[in-house]
Amino acid sequence: MARTLVLLRHAKAEPEGDLGDAMRPLAGKGRKQATALGPQLADLVGPVDVALVSSALRATETYKLVAAGMKVRAQQVVGEIYEGGPRTVLGLLQDVDEAAATVLVVGHEPTISGLASLLHDARDDLARQVSLGVPTATACVLQVPGTWQELDRSTAHLSRLIRPSH
C-alpha cells in the first residue's frame, strides 16, 4: 500500500505573551493561511486517516482550520510533538496503525523540516529548500513506500511543498 505523510508547520502565530509559548494563538494571517490550506491539501492528498497534532495552541488551532477543509478520520493531540524533535516524532509515526494510508502531523520548526530532511531519500532542490527550514503554514508531502514501522532515515520521498494559495 502506498502511504502519504504530510508534515505541516503550524500557521502564523501571535508573539509570545504572558501565557507562554505553548499558549500562543494564531494571528489573523495564520487563520487565513490555515483555512486556505485545508482544501489545497484535500485536493492533493485526499482524506487523512490519522492526524497527530502538537498540544501547543497554535498547532491545535491550525489543525482545526485545516481539517474544516478536508476529511480527517481520526486525530490525536500529542504533547511529545511540541516537546520533542524529529526522532521523537519519527517514533510516533513508527507506531501508527499500518491500515493508515495518509498521516498528517501538525507541529513546529525546526522539527518539521528536520524530520522531512531525515526521511527524504534524495539530495535535490526540495531537500535544499527544506534544509533551510520551512515557513509557517507549509506542508511537506512525502511518499512512503514501506510500512510506518519501517519509516526511518532516507526511506520516504519528499514530493512537494504546499503553501496557502494566497
Side-chain angles (χ1 to χ4, degrees), residues 9-37:
R9 182 180 180 190
H10 64 79
K12 180 76 175 159
E14 293 289 347
E16 185 174 343
D18 295 337
L19 297 176
D21 183 66
M23 294 305 295
R24 289 170 52 203
L26 289 180
K29 177 181 178 181
R31 287 190 292 279
K32 289 177 187 168
Q33 288 175 323
T35 300
L37 201 52

Side-chain angles (χ1 to χ4, degrees), residues 22-108:
M23 294 305 295
R24 289 170 52 203
L26 289 180
K29 177 181 178 181
R31 287 190 292 279
K32 289 177 187 168
Q33 288 175 323
T35 300
L37 201 52
Q40 283 181 260
L41 285 173
D43 287 345
L44 181 68
V45 302
V48 170
D49 296 303
V50 177
L52 302 175
V53 183
S54 163
S55 57
L57 180 60
R58 61 194 178 275
T60 59
E61 288 183 341
T62 296
Y63 167 74
K64 287 175 187 169
L65 293 170
V66 167
M70 62 188 310
K71 182 176 180 181
V72 179
R73 293 188 174 101
Q75 65 95 17
Q76 181 179 358
V77 174
V78 185
E80 292 94 326
I81 296 172
Y82 176 66
E83 299 156 4
R87 284 280 176 192
T88 300
V89 177
L90 175 59
L92 296 169
L93 289 167
Q94 289 168 334
D95 289 338
V96 166
D97 186 325
E98 293 300 337
T102 302
V103 174
L104 168 67
V105 176
V106 182
H108 310 270

Side-chain angles (χ1 to χ4, degrees), residues 84-91 110-116 118:
R87 284 280 176 192
T88 300
V89 177
L90 175 59
T111 299
I112 294 298
S113 63
L115 183 55
L118 176 76

Side-chain angles (χ1 to χ4, degrees), residues 131-156:
S131 73
L132 301 173
V134 296
T136 55
T138 297
C140 304
V141 180
L142 295 105
Q143 304 312 311
V144 181
T147 66
W148 295 117
Q149 189 174 7
E150 295 168 334
L151 190 62
D152 208 335
R153 179 180 298 278
S154 302
T155 59

